[in-house]
Amino acid sequence: MNVNYMLSFIIVLALCLLSYLGGEAPGLRYLFGIAIPYLAIVIFIFGFISRVMGWARSAVPFRIPTTCGQQKSLPWIKPNRIDNPFSKSAVILRMILEIVCFRSLFRNTRMAFKNTKTGMRIAYDWEIFLWVAALAFHYTFLVVLLRHLRFFFDPVPFCIQILEFFDGFLKIEFLSNVIQVGLPGIYISGVILLAAVTFLFLRRIFSPKVRYISLPADFFPLFLIMGIAITGIMMRYFTKVDIVGIKEFTMGLVSFSPALPEGVGGLFYVHIFLVSVLLAYFPSSKLMHLGGIFLSPTRNMTADTRATRHVNPWNHPVKVHTYEQYEDEFREKMIEAGLPVEKKE
Amino acid sequence: MADDLPKADDLLNKIDHNNSPPTSWMDTPVNIRKGMYCYASSPKSVKYLGLPNARPWNPLDDDWKLPDNWKEIVFEGLKERLDKFRSFKVFMDICVRCGACADKCHFFIGTGDPKNMPVLRAELLRSVYRNDFTKAGNLLGKIAGARPMTLDVLKEWWYYFFQCTECRRCSVFCPYGIDTAEITIMAREILNLLGLNIDWIATPVANCYRTGNHLGIQPHAFKDMLDFFVEDIEEITGVNCEPQYNKKGADILFITPSGDVFADPGTYTAMGYLLLFQYLKEKYGFDVTWSTYGSEGGNFGFFTSHETMKRLNSKMYAEAKRLGVKWILGGECGHMWRVINQYMDTMNGPADFLEEPVSPITGTRFENAKSTKMVHIAEFTADLIKHNKLELDPVRNDNVIATFHDSCNPARGMGMLDEPRFVLQNVCNNFHEMPPGTIREQTFCCGSGSGLNAGENMELRMAGGLPRANAVKYVHEKYGVNMLTCVCAIDRAVFPPLMEYWVPEVDVSGLHELVGNALIMQGEKKRTTDLRFEPLPGMEDEIDE
Ligand code: HEM
Ligand code: SF4
Ligand code: SF4
């Protein structure tokens, strides 16, 4: 038993209970259904902006990209344009690959001590699972997020319909030939999201190294997202919540004339409460890596420091030991050794 | 080597990467252990540099003789750096503790100490940052991963931030590029505000400030040392090299780490430079000067603070300006090149009194160095070889079966990977790469960089150098590799004991030592030995006569 994840688990469980009761108690529905979501959005937007502004306010005194490939030097040596970017466009490409493909994480290796005939050998094998799970998690999260836009637009934009079609398509066609699954069709994204989050959680528990570095703040968002996914899946496939009622409610929220939905159970309140907590928690947490990755100086700077000068906005003058001071101390010895000097006496 | 250093097998067998202490890292107090730390800075050196809190102190004592307001100094120090360095601020905020960096650090691999995982090393500082600079940390304390600054925390910082060689390997794998080296740099700056440096850094810095080089070699002695090499070279090749010193109006100023003037096997690399310059002078009228004022390429100031780095680095441009040279050529050194490549022009430039570097021999413009105006000797020599400007006899290096060690800084703070390989393969017929994952941008540190190459922390150095040594062992067994070649003076100083400990059959050389062996000098006598006075292939008998 580990206090770090138990603590986060208990907090998320308590949040679920709290909001379930809130949803069931008519007096509190306004709070949980309308006031808290609005508040969460405000905290998210202002928090996010102020965090990014805070970073942007700090200076970038030196150009310190981590170079992960051959530099551009002599014309006949092939530079690695992406991992040692010499131009702005190369940096943009590097950043896109980082953000869209998690390129650096893709390099991940696992170190292991192996006993061989000639003694211990340290091996470094490619380790792809974290990258796969991370990509699966983030992309399905994105798809789920985009699919939810259907609740905030009327009519539903075409691109979102397409997304839904592909997200649900394979599963329905495939399954309906074998076993009959009643409508609504299963969205793959929700299932993968839950699986990926579960994997990331289990990794934190079972890998001794990752367990040792984990804080409650690492388990909390995982449980929160798990909770969101589980309540969402339950509403869709099991309790079959009234979609039309919910759409009226969300349209009310976006048009600033909120009205509580009729006939939705406590589960819905748990769902939107957990989303609200995630939003409000976002700016003050590690989830801000969403913004930070764009500002990371080891990745977003050109590696051409010897060709184009970078200016440090606070380049303070420093005390130096000048040549004159040096020669004054060693002049005699220099003359004796036949070294040239500025002043001969 | 230190007497109490554990045997290699014992050191290896006690490493366990999955056996973290039962208590959480915050509740596990630091244990400052002999063999793993470097001695405290001498007050004389700290004072000479005008850095804070010069006094004798001992890391093993309870009382570190800190100023009364030390916590305030730490807080203000953090605050100032969060504003001055976006890298620091972003890296404090966005780590998700995914653990991708955890097993990438040579110190973690070699010690199994969880606080040597880059992410935990950073958390040592981050936890205090959260407490002092974030609301959540301030309100929730430990639940939010925050803890207040205490003397124990400070000691933990000192111990573990001097167990990081600022090698940046962790940064290569981090999905956000979080560079624990950058965090170590900040932590060491703050420790320096309290007078908590190690002597292996503080004294070389003081020496360098005064005499122009880390070893404190005075101008006349510097010349004597090179003259000594000149004699050796004459004995080996029959050629008389004539190095120039502090020469006004020379075309090019040459600066290299003083370690190569001082100790084997770096000295052989220095002899290689002398031969190359003599060759170019006779054949092409190459006009290069050494400087005694700028007699240090390395910069231990970089391991102290950005300010100290700038103070030491200023000599390069100042001397180039005083002598009126066209541009600067730099020798083989690791961190020196991180400083030149990523900091020098910004700190002490613009170097508008110099010209854009052009090789006087091949006419190649070094476009990549057109602002900083400093060219790496491996770039310079690679260009010469490519243009067939050097007469080489690689057979003279046939006793050498070489592998190449990418030093951390040229690899991850510059990207100079193929130039030295090109040179090496042209002067040496036998070359084998170490396994992927241990070379190029994923190279492993020597384990003694960033000023940790002292004598008293030998266990730390042998542990930190294990991943590198293990890869060397692999190619030694597979291909019979007997020479670890590198372009770094610290490497040349620290690899010999590392190899002796883990792979005793492998020797260490610089790149230009092998160039010096292969280079056919005009009017040379028949060479029977290499620059180490060891017989050339097939010449064993002639030596005996
Ligand atoms: C530009 C957008 C984003 C990028 C490039 C990005 C990238 C990453 C990467 C590379 C990891 C490390 C791998 C892992 O542990 O899964 C990670 C972790 C994580 N990300 Fe993102 N992310 C982004 C946006 C988001 C957003 C919007 C969320 C929303 C909740 C999020 C939640 C998480 C969580 C919870 C983790 C930790 C997973 C764990 O505990 O193992 N990320 N992110
Ligand atoms: S790889 Fe980066 S984000 Fe992951 S734990 Fe290490 S420093 Fe943090
Ligand atoms: S910079 Fe190098 S020594 Fe420091 S934590 Fe990262 S991998 Fe380890």
Side-chain angles (χ1 to χ4, degrees):
Chain A
M1 193 74 68
N2 177 310
V3 344
N4 286 343
Y5 72 78
M6 280 318 288
L7 190 70
S8 296
F9 184 68
I10 290 167
I11 292 174
V12 173
L13 209 61
L15 293 174
C16 291
L17 265 166
L18 183 74
S19 48
Y20 189 79
L21 295 178
E24 295 287 307
L28 292 174
R29 278 189 191 159
Y30 188 83
L31 179 69
F32 281 92
I34 295 170
I36 290 177
Y38 271 135
L39 185 67
I41 295 215
V42 170
I43 295 177
F44 175 76
I45 294 174
F46 283 97
F48 193 98
I49 293 176
S50 86
R51 209 71 194 279
V52 173
M53 298 284 279
W55 291 329
R57 253 200 310 280
S58 293
V60 184
F62 301 107
R63 218 182 272 152
I64 51 163
T66 309
T67 57
C68 303
Q70 172 61 38
Q71 67 171 350
K72 181 175 179 312
S73 64
L74 298 163
W76 46 273
I77 290 178
K78 193 169 165 283
N80 184 331
R81 285 180 211 283
I82 298 171
D83 293 317
N84 199 329
F86 199 77
S87 64
K88 288 236 161 55
S89 55
V91 169
I92 292 172
L93 188 60
R94 187 185 202 191
M95 290 301 291
I96 289 176
L97 288 172
E98 287 293 350
I99 290 161
V100 176
C101 307
F102 301 2
R103 183 178 169 87
S104 291
L105 195 60
F106 186 66
R107 295 193 184 100
N108 197 16
T109 56
R110 187 197 295 120
M111 174 270 311
F113 279 28
K114 292 185 177 160
N115 264 315
T116 65
K117 279 194 292 292
T118 53
M120 193 78 84
R121 168 144 195 261
I122 313 178
Y124 312 91
D125 296 319
W126 196 29
E127 207 282 336
I128 190 80
F129 295 110
L130 177 59
W131 180 79
V132 169
L135 268 196
F137 163 62
H138 284 83
Y139 274 97
T140 51
F141 192 91
L142 182 69
V143 169
V144 171
L145 202 71
L146 291 176
R147 270 203 287 105
H148 277 69
L149 290 179
R150 69 155 22 254
F151 293 113
F152 300 92
F153 287 99
D154 202 20
V156 178
F158 187 60
C159 50
I160 291 172
Q161 294 187 20
I162 301 235
L163 185 73
E164 285 178 348
F165 178 70
F166 280 105
D167 195 5
F169 173 75
L170 293 166
K171 213 71 180 192
I172 300 170
E173 286 295 294
F174 175 73
L175 283 178
S176 56
N177 291 335
V178 190
I179 33 159
Q180 290 294 320
V181 179
L183 286 173
I186 295 174
Y187 285 127
I188 314 163
S189 55
V191 179
I192 300 183
L193 175 62
L194 195 57
V197 173
T198 308
F199 173 85
L200 291 174
F201 166 68
L202 293 177
R203 183 176 167 269
R204 279 206 187 275
I205 303 270
F206 288 112
S207 158
K209 291 191 268 296
V210 187
R211 184 173 57 221
Y212 199 65
I213 62 176
S214 294
L215 297 173
D218 298 316
F219 292 106
F220 184 66
L222 291 178
F223 285 130
L224 214 50
I225 292 167
M226 257 185 231
I228 294 168
I230 292 171
T231 50
I233 288 172
M234 278 171 63
M235 280 191 294
R236 183 171 169 84
Y237 305 108
F238 300 104
T239 68
K240 308 248 165 86
V241 76
D242 169 21
I243 299 283
V244 181
I246 287 180
K247 175 119 187 190
E248 275 168 18
F249 163 70
T250 49
M251 291 308 293
L253 281 181
V254 285
S255 58
F256 296 104
S257 45
L260 287 170
E262 291 300 321
V264 293
L267 209 52
F268 176 71
Y269 284 89
V270 177
H271 192 65
I272 56 163
F273 183 66
L274 293 185
V275 173
S276 304
V277 172
L278 185 67
L279 282 173
Y281 175 72
F282 200 101
S284 55
S285 73
K286 69 171 195 177
L287 299 177
M288 278 307 288
H289 63 276
L290 165 64
I293 187 168
F294 291 89
L295 290 168
S296 175
T298 56
R299 290 290 185 274
N300 74 3
M301 305 192 82
T302 47
D304 63 341
T305 329
R306 269 197 292 159
T308 8
R309 180 162 188 261
H310 177 81
V311 177
N312 174 356
W314 52 259
N315 195 9
H316 307 316
V318 296
K319 242 178 95 182
V320 298
H321 191 70
T322 62
Y323 177 80
E324 287 70 32
Q325 289 168 312
Y326 169 86
E327 192 184 296
D328 283 347
E329 182 173 354
F330 297 114
R331 183 169 298 111
E332 268 173 42
K333 290 171 175 166
M334 289 174 79
I335 294 173
E336 209 169 302
L339 291 166
V341 288
E342 299 271 345
K343 281 197 251 164
K344 286 267 173 334
E345 73 280 356
Chain B
M1 233 176 273
D3 304 333
D4 38 13
L5 183 66
K7 287 218 166 53
D9 279 344
D10 295 341
L11 195 133
L12 198 60
N13 290 332
K14 77 176 183 193
I15 305 171
D16 182 352
H17 298 99
N18 291 325
N19 187 20
S20 318
T23 44
S24 87
W25 59 268
M26 273 198 215
D27 300 323
T28 312
V30 61
N31 169 23
I32 297 182
R33 199 157 66 73
K34 211 162 159 278
M36 301 297 278
Y37 74 92
C38 299
Y39 297 149
S41 43
S42 111
K44 223 176 99 201
S45 303
V46 178
K47 200 163 168 189
Y48 186 79
L49 291 161
L51 296 176
N53 202 17
R55 83 263 173 244
W57 65 287
N58 182 344
L60 295 181
D61 288 348
D62 287 336
D63 181 9
W64 280 14
K65 303 186 197 164
L66 301 170
D68 291 336
N69 62 338
W70 71 267
K71 283 187 188 171
E72 190 188 326
I73 297 175
V74 170
F75 177 82
E76 291 300 327
L78 279 169
K79 189 159 175 248
E80 185 189 339
R81 280 156 191 81
L82 288 166
D83 286 339
K84 278 169 127 181
F85 298 90
R86 185 181 299 166
S87 51
F88 187 37
K89 195 161 181 182
V90 171
F91 296 165
M92 283 296 104
D93 284 332
I94 63 170
C95 170
V96 297
R97 286 167 296 278
C98 66
C101 57
D103 60 359
K104 307 302 180 284
C105 176
H106 51 283
F107 283 122
F108 177 65
I109 298 174
T111 63
D113 181 343
K115 285 178 189 165
N116 271 327
M117 291 189 237
V119 43
L120 262 200
R121 194 189 311 287
E123 288 285 311
L124 300 179
L125 198 155
R126 225 178 248 132
S127 50
V128 172
Y129 161 80
R130 286 192 205 105
N131 188 71
D132 292 357
F133 295 92
T134 70
K135 280 191 209 75
N138 197 305
L139 286 173
L140 299 174
K142 222 166 147 181
I143 297 178
R147 60 175 178 175
M149 192 71 203
T150 62
L151 191 59
D152 281 338
V153 172
L154 185 73
K155 292 186 172 182
E156 198 178 33
W157 282 14
W158 183 82
Y159 191 59
Y160 287 104
F161 288 116
F162 285 101
Q163 285 190 25
C164 165
T165 45
E166 305 181 2
C167 78
R168 306 186 106 191
R169 191 169 191 268
C170 45
S171 169
V172 170
F173 296 90
C174 174
Y176 319 116
I178 292 175
D179 183 6
T180 306
E182 190 74 2
I183 294 168
T184 296
I185 290 170
M186 300 303 157
R188 290 195 186 177
E189 282 204 21
I190 290 165
L191 289 167
N192 264 282
L193 297 178
L194 305 176
L196 299 177
N197 206 339
I198 60 173
D199 200 46
W200 199 260
I201 296 176
T203 294
V205 170
N207 283 340
C208 191
Y209 195 61
R210 174 165 169 249
T211 66
N213 59 69
H214 288 152
L215 296 163
I217 309 167
Q218 300 189 3
H220 56 293
F222 188 83
K223 179 169 180 292
D224 277 354
M225 288 163 131
L226 283 192
D227 284 348
F228 188 69
F229 300 155
V230 169
E231 284 168 26
D232 277 359
I233 291 173
E234 183 156 17
E235 196 178 333
I236 297 164
T237 69
V239 173
N240 180 26
C241 300
E242 293 159 339
Q244 316 186 95
Y245 303 93
N246 303 353
K247 184 192 167 196
K248 285 201 169 174
D251 284 345
I252 289 162
L253 168 64
F254 178 65
I255 302 179
T256 200
S258 63
D260 285 344
V261 179
F262 183 71
D264 299 346
T267 48
Y268 309 122
T269 301
M271 288 158 79
Y273 299 145
L274 289 171
L275 279 166
L276 178 68
F277 295 158
Q278 186 64 23
Y279 179 94
L280 297 175
K281 182 174 163 188
E282 284 172 8
K283 207 153 177 200
Y284 308 103
F286 188 62
D287 185 14
V288 64
T289 181
W290 299 67
S291 160
T292 58
Y293 171 66
S295 47
E296 181 58 66
N299 190 331
F300 273 34
F302 182 35
F303 311 137
T304 305
S305 66
H306 285 87
E307 182 182 332
T308 315
M309 159 168 61
K310 183 174 171 183
R311 290 170 71 184
L312 297 189
N313 175 262
S314 67
K315 294 187 186 187
M316 291 194 182
Y317 280 153
E319 184 68 341
K321 193 170 184 178
R322 184 182 77 87
L323 297 177
V325 298
K326 294 191 176 124
W327 52 273
I328 314 174
L329 183 64
E332 297 177 14
C333 177
H335 71 282
M336 155 181 176
W337 274 95
R338 170 125 196 250
V339 172
I340 291 164
N341 190 54
Q342 298 199 327
Y343 298 98
M344 173 154 92
D345 197 5
T346 300
M347 288 185 306
N348 289 314
D352 40 19
F353 47 88
L354 298 176
E355 292 174 15
E356 279 184 37
V358 175
S359 169
I361 297 140
T362 64
T364 300
R365 302 188 81 82
F366 295 97
E367 299 269 353
N368 63 323
K370 66 173 186 254
S371 176
T372 300
K373 282 127 179 158
M374 188 148 177
V375 175
H376 194 292
I377 192 148
E379 298 168 342
F380 179 75
T381 305
D383 175 64
L384 291 173
I385 295 175
K386 183 77 181 173
H387 288 89
N388 284 320
K389 298 293 179 190
L390 301 183
E391 271 181 281
L392 297 166
D393 181 8
V395 173
R396 288 187 200 160
N397 282 319
D398 270 357
N399 283 340
V400 171
I401 306 172
T403 189
F404 183 71
H405 163 71
D406 289 280
S407 309
C408 310
N409 289 292
R412 291 183 282 260
M414 185 175 182
M416 194 185 69
L417 308 172
D418 288 328
E419 297 88 341
R421 282 181 171 75
F422 177 81
V423 174
L424 181 56
Q425 282 168 289
N426 273 282
V427 297
C428 178
N429 289 322
N430 314 307
F431 167 70
H432 300 278
E433 289 278 15
M434 284 179 271
T438 70
I439 51 167
R440 299 178 76 90
E441 72 276 5
Q442 298 194 11
T443 185
F444 275 107
C445 183
C446 59
S448 309
S450 82
L452 304 186
N453 50 329
E456 61 270 18
N457 62 336
M458 208 38 105
E459 185 180 339
L460 176 74
R461 290 174 50 189
M462 296 302 113
L466 169 64
R468 169 41 76 228
N470 197 261
V472 174
K473 183 161 174 263
Y474 178 76
V475 283
H476 169 67
E477 281 160 5
K478 192 156 179 195
Y479 307 109
V481 162
N482 60 11
M483 188 65 85
L484 179 57
T485 305
C486 56
V487 282
C488 171
I490 291 186
D491 285 339
R492 287 188 283 273
V494 305
F495 273 147
L498 186 78
M499 289 300 116
E500 191 192 320
Y501 189 75
W502 293 113
V503 208
E505 304 82 2
V506 176
D507 222 328
V508 180
S509 81
L511 185 63
H512 278 78
E513 174 185 348
L514 301 183
V515 172
N517 280 336
L519 196 61
I520 305 171
M521 304 292 292
Q522 276 183 332
E524 71 178 17
K525 66 174 198 192
K526 183 178 170 203
R527 289 204 215 177
T528 54
T529 73
D530 60 14
L531 295 178
R532 303 183 178 198
F533 288 100
E534 279 162 22
L536 289 176
M539 299 284 179
E540 289 77 7
D541 300 338
E542 308 205 13
I543 302 285
D544 293 339
E545 285 163 20

